Amino acid sequence: MKFPLRIFGEIRGIDLDRLPRLHGLLNADVFSPSGDDGLEVEYEGSYLDIEPDLDELVAALADGGQGHVDCIDHENWTLRRYSLQPGSWSCKEVNPDGALERYHHE
């Protein structure tokens, strides 16, 4: 059985002075260091409210930093795509069938 929620994405351009303070946001398994100034996001599990933690992440982005985080709700079959830039984030719902189609292999 699939978990009800899957979160994935990446964030680049984090102010290196703020990177240590981001450890433990969301769930320890969600954000893990992936490079000098970035984080990779990968999570499958129970539902999480990620928006307060996204506020912390965008506050830590340096000028020119950016990222994206996708949240797939398997039970309701919805996909929320978050775009992150320094100081703010935006969210849009997209059709998961079209967005995930490119990942299906024959």
Side-chain angles (χ1 to χ4, degrees):
M1 182 172 128
K2 290 183 180 180
F3 289 105
L5 184 68
R6 179 163 186 240
I7 302 171
F8 58 96
E10 63 180 44
I11 304 160
R12 298 284 178 252
I14 296 172
D15 180 336
L16 294 177
D17 293 332
R18 295 181 179 204
L19 188 59
R21 289 185 253 167
L22 301 179
H23 179 72
L25 285 184
L26 300 175
N27 178 311
D29 296 332
V30 176
F31 289 95
S32 60
S34 65
D36 297 329
D37 66 349
L39 299 170
E40 288 186 7
V41 178
E42 185 135 349
Y43 173 81
E44 285 187 316
S46 59
Y47 288 107
L48 300 173
D49 179 11
I50 70 165
E51 293 179 0
D53 290 336
L54 291 177
D55 291 337
E56 295 291 326
L57 288 166
V58 299
L61 287 174
D63 288 339
Q66 63 180 344
H68 68 277
V69 176
D70 289 347
C71 296
I72 301 173
D73 178 338
H74 287 286
E75 290 181 350
N76 297 303
W77 197 235
T78 59
L79 183 138
R80 287 174 305 190
R81 181 161 290 160
Y82 295 90
S83 296
L84 288 66
Q85 50 279 331
S88 67
W89 54 265
S90 61
C91 177
K92 67 178 179 179
E93 285 200 23
V94 296
N95 180 336
D97 292 325
L100 301 175
E101 184 175 294
R102 65 183 170 158
Y103 297 107
H104 292 272
H105 301 287
E106 295 182 23

